Structure formats: structure tokens, C-alpha cells
Amino acid sequence: MSCPSWVPTGLLVLLAAALVPGPSPAQSPPDSLRAEALQDFHGPDQTGKDGPLAKAGLDLLLLYHEYRALRRDGEAPFSPSVDGARVADGHVTIDAVAKESAQELRADLTALGLKEAAVAGRVVSGRLPIEHVPALARVESLRGVVLPRAETQDGGSSRLRPEARNAAPEASSAPSPPSDETDPGAALFLGVALGTFLLTEA
């Protein structure tokens, strides 16, 4: 059956594009960066928290790999996917928990370039150069790291409560980013339905 003459050529092109499946999308850079962070955190077996840089925590490792990719690609400014992370001028604000002596940890982190260092109990807070995250994870006096979050809109803060700061920080798994791609099955169904309607109306 031939198409009616009143059907616009542009519409036929759109229908054809909807019916012909496109190539499979390549792995997005965030997925590959997440894989690198998971390797550093979990190690080769992808289980547990025994990777070579596990003490830095998964959030900080993901932020580090994103920053390194941005520096490599020459893009700016840096906007990490880690929600609420406080970054500025190539530094990230951290709360580092000491194994024993907070003063010893402060001295070790200051040697790595930690700025505005402050001590509260066994927690050392400050702004660390992001490029030094791998070295941070290897500091012997460090027990673990958490990222203090930016203040909320209502003026509250998601920083750790004082009584919770003496606990070892638990790193959470990085959630998969929401997909903004159109479902190819839905596009195919829509194209077929629209084409059938136009042809039957002729």
C-alpha cells in the first residue's frame, strides 16, 4: 500500500528513524570512573572493604577519579557527582578519623597539604588537595574518612554528630546515575502505532 500524498515527507523520515534500531550506546565515562573507584575500594575480588585505597571511602575515591578525569580532559569547572561534597580550588573538605592520636593524624595530613586543619576528639577536619587522595588512604595513623556535606536549605548541617564521630566511617555504595535515554522499545511502539494510524486514515 502506498502512503497518501498528504503525509509530509519529514514525518515519514521520523517514522523510519523510530523503526530502525540505532547502535548500542557505549559505556558512559561516569560508569568507567565508578568501576575504577570500586576497584580501589573493594580490590580485585570486588567484595569487602580491602582494596588498596579503601580507607579513603568510596565517595572520596569516586570524587578523586572524577577530578582526575576532568584534569586529563581539560574541562572546568569541577562539579562532582557525590551529593553535597564540599570542593573548591582543587580541595575537598574531609573529616578524617584517627586510629589513636588525632594530633599524629593532623601532622600526617598537614604534610599532605591539608589546609585549615582542626581537631575534635579523634576527628581531624580540613581541606585536602583532591590529587592527594591516594596518599591519604595510605596514611598509617588514619582509620577512615567521611565527607562532611554542605549545609541544607533550611540551615541545618549533615555533618556527623559529635557522638558519632568516634565511630569508623562506613562508605556507602555509589548509586547508579538515573538514565536520561529514551526507551528504544517505547520509541518503536510509538512509531508503529503512528504509522499504522496514518495509513489507515488515508
Side-chain angles (χ1 to χ4, degrees):
M1 177 185 297
S2 61
C3 293
S5 58
W6 53 266
V7 177
T9 303
L11 182 56
L12 293 178
V13 173
L14 291 176
L15 287 174
L19 294 173
V20 176
S24 299
Q27 186 181 38
S28 64
D31 288 339
S32 63
L33 296 178
R34 185 175 295 102
E36 293 181 35
L38 289 171
Q39 177 81 6
D40 289 340
F41 184 72
H42 293 302
D45 59 2
Q46 293 294 303
T47 60
K49 302 176 183 178
D50 55 354
L53 305 180
K55 286 198 297 184
L58 188 54
D59 282 346
L60 186 56
L61 289 171
L62 179 58
L63 185 148
Y64 162 73
H65 283 289
E66 290 177 342
Y67 180 75
R68 189 178 66 166
L70 178 139
R71 293 280 303 272
R72 181 178 63 243
D73 298 338
E75 299 177 1
F78 178 50
S79 179
S81 66
V82 179
D83 185 42
R86 299 160 63 182
V87 298
D89 302 324
H91 291 68
V92 57
T93 301
I94 63 170
D95 283 345
V97 182
K99 279 185 178 179
E100 296 179 1
S101 169
Q103 295 300 331
E104 179 184 359
L105 177 60
R106 176 178 180 173
D108 290 341
L109 298 187
T110 299
L112 290 180
L114 187 73
K115 295 182 177 180
E116 303 171 11
V119 175
R122 290 169 55 194
V123 175
V124 179
S125 303
R127 299 173 60 239
L128 183 80
I130 299 174
E131 61 185 12
H132 291 169
V133 167
L136 166 70
R138 297 186 175 96
V139 171
E140 183 62 29
S141 58
L142 176 72
R143 182 181 182 185
V145 181
V146 291
L147 294 180
R149 308 299 182 174
E151 291 187 355
T152 59
Q153 293 182 350
D154 60 1
S157 173
S158 55
R159 293 177 65 91
L160 291 178
R161 299 186 306 276
E163 62 269 25
R165 285 188 166 186
N166 290 333
E170 294 291 336
S172 59
S173 299
S176 300
S179 174
D180 57 358
E181 296 179 357
T182 302
D183 184 354
L188 177 61
F189 175 80
L190 179 60
V192 172
L194 184 56
T196 302
F197 172 77
L198 291 174
L199 293 176
T200 54
E201 287 294 314

